[in-house]
Amino acid sequence: MKTATLPPLRVAPELRQAAESVLREGETLSSFMEQSLRDEVNRRHMQAEFIARGLAAREDAKHTGVYLTVNESLAGLDAILAKHKPDAR
């Protein structure tokens, strides 16, 4: 697979210095920028999926007429968290 390049990125010298100041050992500014871009693309995909699930849930509730109270929602979230706590295993 061929690679592609991204457009050059002009930033203020302070931003470049800040980015360079947080590089890990052996990490280059280019690899840091690539990972940052990958992370943001992933975050935006997850955000879009989250919104789509929320809109689908809203439509499902409209069609079924089944809505949860705040307390029911929070209890469900608490149950999920409790199941994934390390001491619960």
Side-chain angles (χ1 to χ4, degrees):
M1 175 177 79
K2 290 178 111 179
T3 59
T5 59
L6 292 171
L9 179 64
R10 292 205 171 274
V11 298
E14 297 81 18
L15 179 56
R16 182 184 174 114
Q17 289 171 347
E20 289 173 338
S21 74
V22 298
L23 293 177
R24 296 183 177 131
E25 188 174 331
E27 185 176 38
T28 65
L29 188 54
S30 292
S31 66
F32 175 76
M33 291 173 57
E34 181 183 357
Q35 187 59 50
S36 298
L37 182 60
R38 288 180 189 280
D39 291 345
E40 183 62 17
V41 167
N42 186 49
R43 187 189 71 76
R44 289 187 184 195
H45 280 146
M46 289 189 316
Q47 184 180 42
E49 291 167 3
F50 175 80
I51 291 169
R53 287 192 310 271
L55 293 172
R58 180 185 68 179
E59 290 305 311
D60 185 55
K62 283 181 182 178
H63 284 66
T64 64
V66 177
Y67 293 85
L68 298 178
T69 66
V70 170
N71 290 335
E72 290 169 326
S73 295
L74 291 176
L77 292 172
D78 286 340
I80 292 169
L81 288 173
K83 186 169 50 171
H84 293 284
K85 282 186 179 178
D87 59 354
R89 292 183 181 156

Coordinates of all heavy atoms in Angstrom, one line a residue:
M1 N 0.8 -1.2 0.0 CA 0.0 0.0 0.0 C 0.9 1.2 0.0 O 1.8 1.3 0.8 CB -0.9 0.0 1.2 CG -1.7 1.2 1.4 SD -2.8 1.2 2.8 CE -1.7 1.6 4.1
K2 N 0.6 2.2 -0.9 CA 1.3 3.4 -0.9 C 0.9 4.3 0.2 O -0.2 4.2 0.7 CB 1.0 4.1 -2.2 CG 1.7 3.5 -3.4 CD 1.3 4.2 -4.7 CE 2.5 4.9 -5.2 NZ 2.3 5.6 -6.5
T3 N 1.8 5.1 0.7 CA 1.4 6.1 1.7 C 1.1 7.4 1.1 O 1.4 7.7 -0.1 CB 2.6 6.3 2.7 OG1 3.7 6.8 2.0 CG2 2.9 5.0 3.4
A4 N 0.4 8.2 1.8 CA 0.1 9.6 1.3 C 0.6 10.6 2.3 O 0.9 10.3 3.5 CB -1.4 9.7 1.2
T5 N 0.8 11.8 1.9 CA 1.2 12.9 2.7 C 0.1 13.8 3.0 O -0.9 13.9 2.3 CB 2.4 13.7 2.1 OG1 1.9 14.2 0.9 CG2 3.6 12.8 1.9
L6 N 0.2 14.4 4.2 CA -0.8 15.4 4.6 C -0.2 16.8 4.3 O 1.0 17.0 4.1 CB -1.1 15.3 6.1 CG -1.8 14.0 6.5 CD1 -1.8 13.9 8.0 CD2 -3.2 14.0 5.9
P7 N -1.1 17.8 4.2 CA -0.6 19.1 3.9 C 0.3 19.6 5.0 O 0.1 19.2 6.2 CB -1.9 20.0 3.8 CG -3.0 19.0 3.8 CD -2.5 17.7 4.3
P8 N 1.3 20.4 4.7 CA 2.1 21.0 5.8 C 1.2 21.8 6.8 O 0.2 22.3 6.4 CB 3.0 22.0 5.1 CG 2.9 21.6 3.6 CD 1.6 20.9 3.4
L9 N 1.6 21.8 8.0 CA 0.9 22.4 9.1 C 1.7 23.6 9.7 O 2.7 23.4 10.2 CB 0.6 21.4 10.1 CG -0.2 21.8 11.3 CD1 -1.6 22.3 10.9 CD2 -0.3 20.7 12.4
R10 N 1.1 24.8 9.5 CA 1.8 25.9 10.1 C 1.2 26.2 11.4 O 0.0 26.3 11.6 CB 1.6 27.2 9.2 CG 2.3 27.0 7.9 CD 2.7 28.5 7.4 NE 3.5 28.4 6.2 CZ 4.9 28.4 6.3 NH1 5.5 28.4 7.5 NH2 5.6 28.3 5.3
V11 N 2.0 26.3 12.4 CA 1.6 26.6 13.8 C 2.5 27.7 14.4 O 3.6 27.9 13.9 CB 1.6 25.3 14.7 CG1 0.7 24.3 14.2 CG2 3.0 24.8 14.8
A12 N 2.0 28.2 15.5 CA 2.8 29.2 16.2 C 4.0 28.5 16.8 O 3.9 27.3 17.2 CB 2.0 29.9 17.3
P13 N 5.1 29.2 16.9 CA 6.3 28.6 17.5 C 6.0 28.0 18.9 O 6.6 27.0 19.3 CB 7.3 29.7 17.6 CG 6.9 30.7 16.5 CD 5.4 30.6 16.5
E14 N 5.2 28.7 19.7 CA 4.9 28.2 21.0 C 4.2 26.8 21.0 O 4.5 26.0 21.9 CB 4.0 29.2 21.8 CG 4.6 30.6 22.0 CD 4.5 31.5 20.7 OE1 3.7 31.2 19.9 OE2 5.2 32.5 20.7
L15 N 3.3 26.6 20.0 CA 2.7 25.3 19.9 C 3.7 24.2 19.5 O 3.6 23.1 20.1 CB 1.5 25.4 18.9 CG 0.7 24.1 18.7 CD1 0.2 23.5 20.1 CD2 -0.4 24.2 17.7
R16 N 4.5 24.6 18.6 CA 5.6 23.6 18.3 C 6.4 23.2 19.5 O 6.7 22.1 19.7 CB 6.4 24.1 17.1 CG 7.5 23.1 16.7 CD 8.4 23.6 15.6 NE 9.4 22.6 15.4 CZ 9.6 21.9 14.3 NH1 8.8 22.1 13.3 NH2 10.6 21.0 14.2
Q17 N 6.9 24.2 20.2 CA 7.7 24.0 21.4 C 6.9 23.2 22.4 O 7.5 22.3 23.0 CB 8.1 25.3 22.0 CG 9.2 26.1 21.2 CD 9.4 27.5 21.7 OE1 8.7 28.0 22.5 NE2 10.5 28.1 21.2
A18 N 5.6 23.5 22.6 CA 4.8 22.7 23.5 C 4.7 21.2 23.1 O 4.8 20.3 23.9 CB 3.4 23.3 23.7
A19 N 4.5 21.0 21.8 CA 4.4 19.6 21.3 C 5.8 18.9 21.5 O 5.8 17.8 21.9 CB 4.0 19.7 19.8
E20 N 6.9 19.6 21.2 CA 8.2 19.0 21.3 C 8.5 18.7 22.8 O 9.2 17.7 23.1 CB 9.3 19.8 20.7 CG 9.2 19.9 19.2 CD 10.1 20.9 18.6 OE1 10.6 21.9 19.2 OE2 10.5 20.7 17.4
S21 N 8.0 19.5 23.7 CA 8.3 19.3 25.1 C 7.6 18.0 25.7 O 8.0 17.6 26.8 CB 7.8 20.5 25.9 OG 6.4 20.6 26.0
V22 N 6.6 17.5 25.0 CA 5.9 16.3 25.6 C 6.2 15.0 24.8 O 5.7 14.0 25.1 CB 4.4 16.5 25.6 CG1 4.0 17.7 26.5 CG2 3.8 16.7 24.2
L23 N 7.2 15.1 23.9 CA 7.6 13.9 23.1 C 8.2 12.9 24.1 O 9.0 13.3 25.0 CB 8.5 14.3 22.0 CG 8.0 15.1 20.8 CD1 9.1 15.4 19.9 CD2 6.9 14.4 20.2
R24 N 7.9 11.6 23.8 CA 8.5 10.6 24.6 C 9.8 10.2 24.0 O 10.1 10.5 22.9 CB 7.5 9.4 24.7 CG 6.2 9.7 25.4 CD 5.3 8.5 25.5 NE 4.1 8.9 26.3 CZ 2.9 8.7 25.9 NH1 2.7 8.0 24.8 NH2 1.9 9.1 26.7
E25 N 10.6 9.4 24.7 CA 11.9 9.0 24.3 C 11.7 8.2 23.0 O 10.9 7.3 22.9 CB 12.6 8.1 25.3 CG 14.0 7.8 24.9 CD 14.7 7.0 26.0 OE1 14.4 7.2 27.2 OE2 15.6 6.2 25.7
G26 N 12.4 8.6 21.9 CA 12.4 7.9 20.6 C 11.2 8.4 19.8 O 11.1 8.0 18.6
E27 N 10.4 9.2 20.3 CA 9.2 9.7 19.5 C 9.6 10.9 18.7 O 10.3 11.8 19.2 CB 8.0 10.0 20.5 CG 6.8 10.4 19.8 CD 5.6 10.6 20.8 OE1 5.9 11.2 21.9 OE2 4.5 10.2 20.5
T28 N 9.1 11.0 17.5 CA 9.4 12.1 16.6 C 8.2 13.0 16.6 O 7.0 12.6 16.9 CB 9.7 11.7 15.2 OG1 8.6 11.1 14.6 CG2 11.0 10.8 15.1
L29 N 8.4 14.2 16.2 CA 7.2 15.1 16.1 C 6.3 14.6 15.0 O 5.0 14.7 15.2 CB 7.7 16.6 15.7 CG 6.7 17.7 15.7 CD1 5.9 17.7 17.1 CD2 7.3 19.0 15.4
S30 N 6.8 14.0 14.0 CA 5.9 13.5 12.9 C 5.1 12.3 13.4 O 3.9 12.2 13.2 CB 6.7 13.0 11.7 OG 7.3 14.1 11.1
S31 N 5.7 11.4 14.2 CA 4.9 10.3 14.8 C 3.9 10.7 15.8 O 2.8 10.2 15.9 CB 5.9 9.2 15.4 OG 6.5 9.7 16.5
F32 N 4.3 11.8 16.5 CA 3.3 12.3 17.5 C 2.1 12.9 16.8 O 1.0 12.7 17.2 CB 4.0 13.4 18.3 CG 3.1 14.2 19.3 CD1 2.7 13.6 20.5 CD2 2.7 15.5 19.0 CE1 1.9 14.3 21.3 CE2 1.9 16.2 19.8 CZ 1.5 15.6 21.0
M33 N 2.4 13.7 15.7 CA 1.3 14.3 14.9 C 0.4 13.2 14.3 O -0.8 13.3 14.3 CB 1.9 15.2 13.9 CG 2.5 16.5 14.5 SD 3.3 17.5 13.3 CE 2.1 17.9 12.1
E34 N 1.1 12.1 13.8 CA 0.3 11.0 13.1 C -0.6 10.4 14.2 O -1.8 10.1 13.9 CB 1.2 10.0 12.5 CG 0.4 8.9 11.8 CD 1.3 7.8 11.2 OE1 2.6 8.0 11.3 OE2 0.8 6.8 10.7
Q35 N -0.1 10.1 15.4 CA -0.9 9.4 16.4 C -2.0 10.3 16.9 O -3.1 9.9 17.1 CB 0.0 9.0 17.6 CG -0.7 8.2 18.6 CD -1.3 6.9 18.0 OE1 -0.6 6.2 17.3 NE2 -2.6 6.7 18.2
S36 N -1.7 11.6 17.0 CA -2.7 12.6 17.4 C -3.9 12.6 16.3 O -5.1 12.6 16.7 CB -2.1 14.0 17.5 OG -1.2 14.0 18.5
L37 N -3.5 12.6 15.1 CA -4.5 12.5 14.0 C -5.4 11.3 14.1 O -6.6 11.3 14.0 CB -3.8 12.7 12.7 CG -4.8 12.8 11.4 CD1 -5.7 13.9 11.5 CD2 -3.9 12.9 10.2
R38 N -4.7 10.1 14.3 CA -5.4 8.8 14.4 C -6.4 8.9 15.6 O -7.5 8.4 15.4 CB -4.4 7.7 14.6 CG -3.6 7.3 13.4 CD -2.7 6.1 13.7 NE -1.8 5.9 12.6 CZ -2.1 5.2 11.5 NH1 -3.3 4.7 11.4 NH2 -1.2 5.1 10.6
D39 N -5.9 9.4 16.7 CA -6.7 9.5 17.9 C -8.0 10.4 17.6 O -9.1 10.0 18.1 CB -5.9 10.0 19.1 CG -4.9 9.1 19.6 OD1 -4.9 7.8 19.2 OD2 -4.0 9.5 20.3
E40 N -7.8 11.5 17.0 CA -8.9 12.4 16.7 C -9.9 11.8 15.7 O -11.1 11.9 15.9 CB -8.4 13.7 16.2 CG -9.5 14.8 16.1 CD -10.3 15.1 17.3 OE1 -9.8 14.8 18.4 OE2 -11.4 15.7 17.2
V41 N -9.4 11.1 14.7 CA -10.3 10.5 13.8 C -11.1 9.4 14.5 O -12.3 9.3 14.3 CB -9.5 9.8 12.6 CG1 -10.3 8.9 11.8 CG2 -8.9 10.9 11.7
N42 N -10.5 8.6 15.3 CA -11.2 7.6 16.1 C -12.2 8.2 17.0 O -13.3 7.7 17.1 CB -10.2 6.8 16.9 CG -10.8 5.6 17.6 OD1 -11.6 4.8 17.0 ND2 -10.5 5.5 18.9
R43 N -11.8 9.3 17.7 CA -12.8 10.0 18.6 C -14.0 10.5 17.9 O -15.1 10.3 18.3 CB -12.1 11.1 19.3 CG -12.9 11.8 20.4 CD -12.3 13.1 21.0 NE -12.4 14.1 20.0 CZ -13.5 14.9 19.8 NH1 -14.6 14.6 20.3 NH2 -13.5 15.8 18.9
R44 N -13.8 11.0 16.7 CA -14.9 11.5 15.9 C -15.8 10.4 15.4 O -17.0 10.5 15.4 CB -14.4 12.4 14.8 CG -13.9 13.7 15.3 CD -13.6 14.7 14.3 NE -13.0 15.9 14.8 CZ -12.8 17.0 14.1 NH1 -13.3 17.1 12.9 NH2 -12.3 18.1 14.7
H45 N -15.2 9.3 15.1 CA -16.0 8.1 14.7 C -16.9 7.6 15.9 O -18.1 7.3 15.7 CB -15.2 7.0 14.2 CG -14.7 7.1 12.8 ND1 -13.5 6.7 12.3 CD2 -15.3 7.7 11.7 CE1 -13.4 7.0 11.0 NE2 -14.5 7.6 10.6
M46 N -16.2 7.5 17.0 CA -17.0 7.1 18.2 C -18.1 8.1 18.6 O -19.2 7.6 19.0 CB -16.0 6.9 19.4 CG -15.1 5.7 19.2 SD -14.1 5.2 20.7 CE -13.5 6.8 21.3
Q47 N -17.8 9.3 18.4 CA -18.8 10.4 18.7 C -20.0 10.2 17.8 O -21.1 10.3 18.2 CB -18.2 11.8 18.6 CG -19.1 12.9 19.0 CD -18.4 14.2 18.9 OE1 -17.7 14.5 17.9 NE2 -18.6 15.1 19.8
A48 N -19.7 10.0 16.5 CA -20.8 9.9 15.5 C -21.6 8.7 15.8 O -22.9 8.7 15.7 CB -20.2 9.8 14.1
E49 N -21.0 7.6 16.2 CA -21.7 6.3 16.5 C -22.5 6.5 17.8 O -23.7 6.0 17.9 CB -20.7 5.2 16.7 CG -20.0 4.7 15.4 CD -18.9 3.8 15.6 OE1 -18.6 3.5 16.8 OE2 -18.2 3.5 14.6
F50 N -22.0 7.2 18.8 CA -22.7 7.5 20.0 C -24.0 8.3 19.7 O -25.1 8.0 20.2 CB -21.8 8.3 21.0 CG -22.5 8.8 22.2 CD1 -22.7 7.9 23.3 CD2 -22.9 10.1 22.4 CE1 -23.3 8.3 24.4 CE2 -23.6 10.5 23.5 CZ -23.8 9.6 24.6
I51 N -23.9 9.3 18.9 CA -25.0 10.2 18.5 C -26.0 9.3 17.7 O -27.2 9.4 18.0 CB -24.6 11.4 17.7 CG1 -23.8 12.4 18.6 CG2 -25.8 12.1 17.1 CD1 -23.1 13.5 17.9
A52 N -25.6 8.5 16.8 CA -26.5 7.6 16.0 C -27.2 6.7 17.0 O -28.5 6.5 16.8 CB -25.7 6.8 15.0
R53 N -26.5 6.1 18.0 CA -27.2 5.2 18.9 C -28.3 6.0 19.7 O -29.4 5.5 20.0 CB -26.2 4.5 19.9 CG -25.4 3.5 19.2 CD -24.6 2.6 20.2 NE -23.9 3.4 21.2 CZ -22.6 3.8 21.0 NH1 -22.0 3.5 19.9 NH2 -22.0 4.5 22.0
G54 N -27.9 7.2 20.1 CA -28.9 8.0 20.9 C -30.1 8.4 20.1 O -31.2 8.3 20.6
L55 N -29.9 8.7 18.8 CA -31.0 9.1 18.0 C -31.9 7.8 17.7 O -33.1 7.9 17.7 CB -30.6 9.7 16.6 CG -29.9 11.1 16.8 CD1 -29.3 11.5 15.4 CD2 -30.9 12.1 17.3
A56 N -31.3 6.7 17.5 CA -32.0 5.4 17.3 C -32.8 5.1 18.6 O -34.0 4.7 18.5 CB -31.1 4.3 17.0
A57 N -32.2 5.3 19.7 CA -32.9 5.0 21.0 C -34.1 5.9 21.2 O -35.2 5.5 21.6 CB -32.0 5.2 22.2
R58 N -33.9 7.2 20.8 CA -35.0 8.2 20.8 C -36.2 7.7 19.9 O -37.4 7.7 20.3 CB -34.6 9.6 20.4 CG -35.7 10.6 20.5 CD -35.2 11.9 20.0 NE -35.0 11.8 18.5 CZ -34.6 12.9 17.8 NH1 -34.4 14.0 18.3 NH2 -34.4 12.7 16.5
E59 N -35.9 7.3 18.7 CA -36.9 6.8 17.8 C -37.6 5.6 18.3 O -38.8 5.4 18.2 CB -36.3 6.6 16.4 CG -35.9 7.9 15.7 CD -37.0 8.9 15.6 OE1 -38.1 8.5 15.1 OE2 -36.8 10.1 15.9
D60 N -36.8 4.7 18.9 CA -37.4 3.5 19.5 C -38.3 3.8 20.6 O -39.4 3.2 20.7 CB -36.3 2.5 20.0 CG -36.8 1.2 20.4 OD1 -37.5 0.5 19.7 OD2 -36.5 0.9 21.6
A61 N -38.0 4.7 21.4 CA -38.8 5.1 22.5 C -40.1 5.8 22.0 O -41.2 5.5 22.5 CB -38.1 6.1 23.5
K62 N -40.0 6.6 21.0 CA -41.2 7.2 20.4 C -42.1 6.2 19.8 O -43.3 6.3 20.0 CB -40.8 8.2 19.2 CG -40.2 9.5 19.7 CD -39.9 10.3 18.5 CE -39.3 11.7 18.8 NZ -39.0 12.5 17.6
H63 N -41.6 5.1 19.2 CA -42.4 4.1 18.6 C -43.0 3.2 19.6 O -44.2 2.7 19.5 CB -41.6 3.3 17.6 CG -41.4 4.0 16.3 ND1 -40.6 5.2 16.2 CD2 -41.9 3.8 15.0 CE1 -40.6 5.6 15.0 NE2 -41.3 4.8 14.2
T64 N -42.3 2.8 20.7 CA -42.8 1.9 21.7 C -43.5 2.5 22.8 O -44.3 1.9 23.5 CB -41.6 1.0 22.2 OG1 -40.7 1.9 23.0 CG2 -40.9 0.3 21.2
G65 N -43.2 3.8 23.0 CA -43.8 4.5 24.2 C -43.1 4.1 25.5 O -43.6 4.5 26.5
V66 N -42.0 3.4 25.4 CA -41.3 3.0 26.6 C -40.2 3.9 26.9 O -39.3 4.0 26.1 CB -40.8 1.5 26.5 CG1 -40.0 1.1 27.7 CG2 -41.9 0.5 26.2
Y67 N -40.3 4.6 28.0 CA -39.3 5.5 28.4 C -38.8 5.1 29.8 O -39.5 4.6 30.6 CB -39.8 7.0 28.5 CG -40.2 7.5 27.1 CD1 -41.4 7.3 26.6 CD2 -39.3 8.3 26.4 CE1 -41.8 7.8 25.3 CE2 -39.6 8.8 25.2 CZ -40.9 8.6 24.7 OH -41.2 9.1 23.4
L68 N -37.5 5.4 30.1 CA -37.0 5.1 31.5 C -36.9 6.4 32.3 O -36.6 7.5 31.7 CB -35.6 4.5 31.3 CG -35.4 3.2 30.6 CD1 -34.0 2.8 30.5 CD2 -36.3 2.1 31.3
T69 N -37.1 6.3 33.6 CA -36.9 7.4 34.4 C -35.4 7.6 34.6 O -34.6 6.8 34.3 CB -37.5 7.2 35.8 OG1 -36.8 6.1 36.5 CG2 -39.0 6.8 35.7
V70 N -35.0 8.8 35.2 CA -33.6 9.1 35.5 C -33.1 8.0 36.4 O -32.0 7.5 36.2 CB -33.5 10.5 36.1 CG1 -32.1 10.7 36.6 CG2 -33.8 11.5 35.1
N71 N -33.9 7.7 37.4 CA -33.4 6.7 38.4 C -33.2 5.3 37.8 O -32.2 4.6 38.1 CB -34.4 6.6 39.6 CG -34.3 7.8 40.5 OD1 -33.3 8.5 40.5 ND2 -35.4 8.1 41.1
E72 N -34.1 4.9 36.8 CA -33.9 3.6 36.2 C -32.6 3.6 35.3 O -31.9 2.7 35.2 CB -35.1 3.3 35.3 CG -36.4 3.0 36.1 CD -37.6 3.0 35.2 OE1 -37.7 3.7 34.2 OE2 -38.5 2.1 35.5
S73 N -32.4 4.8 34.6 CA -31.2 4.9 33.8 C -29.9 4.8 34.6 O -29.0 4.1 34.3 CB -31.2 6.2 33.0 OG -32.3 6.2 32.1
L74 N -29.9 5.6 35.7 CA -28.7 5.6 36.6 C -28.5 4.2 37.2 O -27.4 3.8 37.4 CB -28.9 6.6 37.7 CG -28.8 8.1 37.1 CD1 -29.0 9.1 38.3 CD2 -27.5 8.4 36.5
A75 N -29.6 3.5 37.6 CA -29.4 2.2 38.2 C -28.8 1.2 37.2 O -28.0 0.4 37.5 CB -30.8 1.7 38.7
G76 N -29.2 1.3 35.9 CA -28.7 0.5 34.9 C -27.2 0.8 34.7 O -26.4 -0.2 34.5
L77 N -26.8 2.1 34.7 CA -25.4 2.4 34.5 C -24.6 1.9 35.7 O -23.5 1.4 35.6 CB -25.2 3.9 34.4 CG -25.8 4.5 33.1 CD1 -25.7 6.0 33.1 CD2 -25.0 4.0 31.9
D78 N -25.2 2.0 36.9 CA -24.5 1.5 38.2 C -24.3 0.0 38.1 O -23.2 -0.5 38.5 CB -25.3 1.9 39.4 CG -25.2 3.4 39.8 OD1 -24.3 4.0 39.3 OD2 -26.1 3.8 40.5
A79 N -25.2 -0.7 37.5 CA -25.1 -2.1 37.4 C -24.0 -2.5 36.4 O -23.2 -3.4 36.7 CB -26.4 -2.7 36.9
I80 N -23.9 -1.7 35.3 CA -22.8 -2.0 34.4 C -21.4 -1.7 35.0 O -20.5 -2.5 34.9 CB -23.0 -1.1 33.1 CG1 -24.2 -1.6 32.3 CG2 -21.7 -1.1 32.2 CD1 -24.6 -0.6 31.2
L81 N -21.3 -0.6 35.7 CA -20.1 -0.3 36.4 C -19.7 -1.3 37.4 O -18.5 -1.7 37.5 CB -20.2 1.1 37.0 CG -20.1 2.3 36.1 CD1 -20.4 3.6 36.9 CD2 -18.8 2.4 35.4
A82 N -20.7 -1.8 38.2 CA -20.4 -2.7 39.3 C -19.9 -4.1 38.6 O -19.0 -4.7 39.2 CB -21.6 -3.0 40.1
K83 N -20.4 -4.4 37.5 CA -20.0 -5.7 36.8 C -18.6 -5.6 36.4 O -17.9 -6.6 36.3 CB -21.0 -5.9 35.7 CG -20.7 -7.3 35.0 CD -21.8 -7.7 34.0 CE -22.2 -6.6 33.0 NZ -23.1 -7.0 31.9
H84 N -18.1 -4.4 36.1 CA -16.7 -4.3 35.5 C -15.7 -3.8 36.5 O -14.5 -3.6 36.1 CB -16.8 -3.3 34.3 CG -17.5 -3.9 33.1 ND1 -17.0 -4.8 32.3 CD2 -18.8 -3.6 32.7 CE1 -17.9 -5.1 31.4 NE2 -19.0 -4.4 31.6
K85 N -16.1 -3.6 37.8 CA -15.1 -3.3 38.8 C -14.2 -4.5 39.0 O -14.7 -5.6 39.1 CB -15.8 -2.9 40.1 CG -16.4 -1.5 40.0 CD -16.9 -1.1 41.4 CE -17.4 0.4 41.3 NZ -18.0 0.8 42.6
P86 N -12.9 -4.2 39.3 CA -12.0 -5.4 39.5 C -12.4 -6.3 40.7 O -12.2 -7.5 40.6 CB -10.7 -4.7 39.8 CG -10.8 -3.3 39.2 CD -12.3 -2.9 39.3
D87 N -12.9 -5.7 41.7 CA -13.2 -6.5 42.9 C -14.5 -7.3 42.7 O -14.9 -8.2 43.5 CB -13.3 -5.7 44.2 CG -14.4 -4.6 44.1 OD1 -15.0 -4.4 43.0 OD2 -14.6 -3.9 45.1
A88 N -15.2 -7.1 41.6 CA -16.5 -7.8 41.3 C -16.2 -9.2 40.7 O -17.1 -10.0 40.6 CB -17.4 -7.0 40.5
R89 N -15.0 -9.4 40.2 CA -14.7 -10.6 39.5 C -14.3 -11.7 40.5 O -13.8 -11.8 41.4 CB -13.6 -10.4 38.5 CG -14.0 -9.5 37.4 CD -13.0 -9.3 36.4 NE -13.5 -8.4 35.4 CZ -12.8 -7.6 34.6 NH1 -11.5 -7.6 34.7 NH2 -13.4 -6.9 33.7

